[in-house]
């Protein structure tokens, strides 16, 4: 009898039931070790499938519409603890991530080389619709957003101000907390794989409340892993 093709993975020895089980365990956020133990799949196979699935998740994130309405923008720093003797935003060997949160909607995050005005506003112009109201802190790189056609409200963390009515960045800060807590269990990620793990956090956060297993299987049917 001819073996049926796997609709989710090209040229794979895996059966569809095996892959559906893998997707279910991955969606449940089990570790690679746990997935291998439960599914009976080789650990190297689990790692390869997880990487390919993260690539699909990253592509899904990149294809989302521009953010609009009221958004919050902020930078955060991921990686080893701050090196003693170094000061400033992101001092040390940390990876700088810039994030934008749409209230009532989705979050978008991107690794940036620095927190300069050019770097942050390039991301904003590429991912935020014109005339959107942007909430930020008072970091100087956010100067000039009004001239670019955005509304702009600021809070002053330097004066222990965290909210002034509807002006705050609590939403994006909540995402930072979620992402850092989730990534901490990997006990250190290489720079080569950090981007995909970050995008997995974004994907999971943006699809919270949905059936992730079904969504992941649909992504793979539409664009099979290879």
């Amino acid at each position: 009898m001819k073996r049926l093709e796997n609709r989710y993975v090209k040229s794979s020895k895996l059966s569809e039931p095996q892959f559906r089980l893998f997707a279910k365990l991955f969606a449940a956020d089990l570790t690679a070790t746990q997935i291998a133990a439960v599914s009976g799949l080789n650990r190297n196979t689990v790692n390869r499938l997880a990487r390919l699935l993260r690539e699909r998740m990253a592509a899904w994130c990149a294809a989302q519409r521009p953010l609009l309405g009221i958004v919050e923008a902020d930078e955060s720093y991921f990686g080893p603890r701050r090196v003693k003797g170094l000061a400033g935003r992101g001092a040390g060997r940390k990876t700088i991530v810039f994030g934008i949160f749409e209230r009532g909607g989705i979050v978008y995050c991107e690794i940036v080389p620095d927190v300069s005005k050019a770097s942050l506003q390039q991301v904003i112009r590429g991912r935020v619709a014109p005339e959107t109201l942007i909430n930020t802190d008072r970091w100087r790189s956010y100067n000039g957003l009004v001239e670019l056609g955005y509304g702009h409200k600021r809070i002053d963390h330097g004066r222990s101000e965290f909210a002034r009515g509807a002006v705050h960045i609590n939403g994006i800060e909540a995402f930072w907390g979620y992402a850092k807590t989730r990534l901490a269990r990997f006990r250190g990620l290489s720079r080569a794989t950090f981007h995909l793990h970050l995008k997995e956090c974004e994907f999971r956060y943006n699809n919270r409340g949905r059936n992730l297993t079904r969504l992941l299987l649909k992504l793979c049917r539409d664009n099979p892993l290879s």
Side-chain angles (χ1 to χ4, degrees), residues 37-38 53 78 86 104 113 120-121 141 150 168 171 207-208:
V38 174
L53 205 49
F78 290 74
L86 295 178
L120 301 190
Q121 294 195 11
S141 292
Y150 299 104
H168 60 79
N207 291 289
R208 59 198 183 280

Side-chain angles (χ1 to χ4, degrees), residues 155-170 173:
I155 56 170
D156 191 348
H157 283 164
R159 295 184 177 180
S160 298
E161 181 182 52
F162 296 96
R164 189 174 64 257
V167 183
H168 60 79
I169 55 173
N170 296 339
E173 289 180 340

Side-chain angles (χ1 to χ4, degrees), residues 208-221:
R208 59 198 183 280
R210 298 183 65 182
N211 187 316
L212 284 184
T213 302
R214 290 181 182 176
L215 181 55
L216 292 174
L217 290 175
K218 183 179 186 307
L219 289 180
C220 295
R221 282 197 306 271

Side-chain angles (χ1 to χ4, degrees), residues 91-165:
R93 293 173 289 121
K94 292 183 178 291
T95 299
I96 308 170
V97 180
F98 181 54
I100 309 169
F101 173 77
E102 177 187 291
R103 292 186 186 170
I106 61 177
V107 68
Y108 174 82
C109 56
E110 183 174 323
I111 297 172
V112 291
D114 51 52
V115 292
S116 67
K117 182 176 181 178
S119 293
L120 301 190
Q121 294 195 11
Q122 180 180 6
V123 179
I124 289 172
R125 286 184 291 177
R127 301 301 309 191
V128 181
E131 301 182 2
T132 295
L133 175 61
I134 303 176
N135 284 211
T136 72
D137 61 19
R138 298 195 65 81
W139 178 237
R140 60 180 177 270
S141 292
Y142 299 120
N143 294 343
L145 289 177
V146 173
E147 286 77 2
L148 293 177
Y150 299 104
H152 189 199
K153 300 289 185 181
R154 310 177 88 144
I155 56 170
D156 191 348
H157 283 164
R159 295 184 177 180
S160 298
E161 181 182 52
F162 296 96
R164 189 174 64 257

Side-chain angles (χ1 to χ4, degrees), residues 46-76:
V46 171
N47 287 337
R48 181 177 66 85
L49 291 174
R51 177 180 59 81
L52 292 171
L53 205 49
R54 290 184 181 110
E55 290 175 356
R56 295 294 182 273
M57 297 162 100
W60 183 93
C61 292
Q64 298 309 295
R65 60 165 175 77
L67 307 184
L68 44 79
I70 301 176
V71 307
E72 304 167 16
D74 188 36
E75 334 89 61
S76 193

